[in-house]
Amino acid sequence: AQSVSQHNHHVILSEAASLELGCNYSYGGTVNLFWYVQYPGQHLQLLLKYFSGDPLVKGIKGFEAEFIKSKFSFNLRKPSVQWSDTAEYFCAVDSGGSNYKLTFGKGTLLTVNP
Amino acid sequence: DVKVTQSSRYLVKRTGEKVFLECVQDMDHENMFWYRQDPGLGLRLIYFSYDVKMKEKGDIPEGYSVSREKKERFSLILESASTNQTSMYLCASRDGRGGRGYTFGSGTRLTVV
């Protein structure tokens, strides 16, 4: 069974600091990878996704993620965070194919202090 | 854009009641999913379906059942609601041919008292 591990439960940064949130998955086959964000009181939103091709994926709001197949990792990065990036971030993976399911990590709460 | 609609934003039910959570999608997607979201636990998959009348157990199916009589509608059923089922419930759908990823509904916050 596939699983997703997010390394940090809560990350606290100051504005302009760089961000890297870790995500590792366990599944031996082809995967599709996702990062979602949930701002306080709001719905889940897709930040970025990786299906195939260039392992460096750019998403919305200046976020990017790099798929490293040998490390089973899909870490999320942003060079300079803003107060408005305060949110919960979820990494997710599905196993590809037509009858797949999306498995989420437990989430990382990011607090950005002004 | 694909739309996934959950019929209720907030629900309050009593322990022991039978509860139906409804989800409708408007893009003819084959795959539909029910998750619950709890603080510190992320989103956990309850049930999913990849076609009409088909269903598969997810990671936490106990205490729940589902129904998919029509392609666009996927219902989550709590046969006898309990307080530990108080949670945010999210429905999602995806085209079985792959492509654009998952579309989530806005969620139903269920409180069981």
Side-chain angles (χ1 to χ4, degrees), chain A residues 29-102:
Chain A
T30 301
V31 293
N32 299 315
L33 297 154
F34 305 81
W35 275 98
Y36 286 87
V37 61
Q38 190 169 38
Y39 298 101
Q42 295 191 24
H43 311 151
L44 210 59
Q45 294 179 41
L46 180 66
L47 265 182
L48 49 80
K49 59 185 184 287
Y50 173 80
F51 287 172
S52 63
D54 188 343
L56 185 60
V57 181
K58 294 195 184 300
I60 61 172
K61 305 188 182 193
F63 287 90
E64 65 179 30
E66 185 175 12
F67 171 49
I68 303 179
K69 189 174 181 180
S70 60
K71 294 185 178 181
F72 299 89
S73 71
F74 191 55
N75 292 354
L76 181 71
R77 299 194 293 248
K78 186 172 185 179
S80 176
V81 295
Q82 302 172 313
W83 175 78
S84 57
D85 293 323
T86 294
E88 191 157 21
Y89 293 80
F90 296 95
C91 181
V93 59
D94 79 28
S95 55
S98 59
N99 296 332
Y100 36 64
K101 61 176 185 176
L102 188 64

Side-chain angles (χ1 to χ4, degrees), chain A residues 9 32 34 36 38 41-44 46 49 51 88 90 93-95 97-107, chain B residues 9 31 33 35 37 40-43 45 48 50 57-59 90 94-102 104-106:
Chain A
H9 177 62
N32 299 315
F34 305 81
Y36 286 87
Q38 190 169 38
Q42 295 191 24
H43 311 151
L44 210 59
L46 180 66
K49 59 185 184 287
F51 287 172
E88 191 157 21
F90 296 95
V93 59
D94 79 28
S95 55
S98 59
N99 296 332
Y100 36 64
K101 61 176 185 176
L102 188 64
T103 300
F104 284 83
K106 293 185 177 181
Chain B
R9 185 74 177 103
N31 301 73
F33 308 82
Y35 292 87
Q37 183 179 10
L41 297 178
L43 283 81
L45 182 63
F48 60 109
Y50 48 85
K57 292 181 179 179
D59 299 316
L90 291 167
R94 182 174 175 174
D95 188 337
R97 294 161 292 180
R100 295 174 58 192
Y102 297 77
F104 282 84
S106 55

Side-chain angles (χ1 to χ4, degrees), chain B residues 1 3 7 29 38-39 45 49 53-54 73 76 84 92 104:
Chain B
D1 275 354
K3 194 170 180 184
S7 53
H29 281 178
D38 301 286
L45 182 63
S49 167
K53 297 193 185 294
M54 306 292 279
R73 185 180 296 269
L76 180 68
N84 63 13
F104 282 84

Side-chain angles (χ1 to χ4, degrees), chain A residues 19-36:
Chain A
L19 170 72
E20 182 161 1
L21 301 182
C23 173
N24 286 90
Y25 65 92
S26 64
Y27 184 74
T30 301
V31 293
N32 299 315
L33 297 154
F34 305 81
W35 275 98
Y36 286 87

Side-chain angles (χ1 to χ4, degrees), chain B:
Chain B
D1 275 354
V2 177
K3 194 170 180 184
V4 175
T5 303
Q6 295 183 231
S7 53
S8 304
R9 185 74 177 103
Y10 297 96
L11 273 179
V12 180
K13 296 292 182 180
R14 295 195 180 277
T15 301
E17 274 194 78
K18 190 169 187 176
V19 181
F20 293 85
L21 302 184
E22 305 289 345
C23 175
V24 177
Q25 49 93 5
D26 65 359
M27 279 297 289
D28 203 35
H29 281 178
E30 289 82 5
N31 301 73
M32 296 188 74
F33 308 82
W34 274 107
Y35 292 87
R36 63 177 283 177
Q37 183 179 10
D38 301 286
L41 297 178
L43 283 81
R44 293 177 292 167
L45 182 63
I46 304 171
Y47 266 97
F48 60 109
S49 167
Y50 48 85
D51 205 346
V52 176
K53 297 193 185 294
M54 306 292 279
K55 60 184 179 184
E56 293 282 341
K57 292 181 179 179
D59 299 316
I60 52 162
E62 296 78 19
Y64 303 94
S65 63
V66 290
S67 172
R68 192 154 180 213
E69 297 297 317
K70 293 185 178 181
K71 195 173 187 179
E72 67 270 20
R73 185 180 296 269
F74 191 36
S75 303
L76 180 68
I77 303 158
L78 287 65
E79 294 289 343
S80 177
S82 64
T83 55
N84 63 13
Q85 293 177 310
T86 291
S87 188
M88 171 68 87
Y89 290 87
L90 291 167
C91 177
S93 75
R94 182 174 175 174
D95 188 337
R97 294 161 292 180
R100 295 174 58 192
Y102 297 77
T103 301
F104 282 84
S106 55
T108 296
R109 183 163 294 282
L110 173 67
T111 302
V112 182
V113 298

Side-chain angles (χ1 to χ4, degrees), chain A residues 3-24:
Chain A
S3 65
V4 180
S5 175
Q6 292 185 239
H7 306 158
N8 306 100
H9 177 62
H10 190 188
V11 172
I12 302 173
L13 295 173
S14 298
E15 275 193 316
S18 64
L19 170 72
E20 182 161 1
L21 301 182
C23 173
N24 286 90

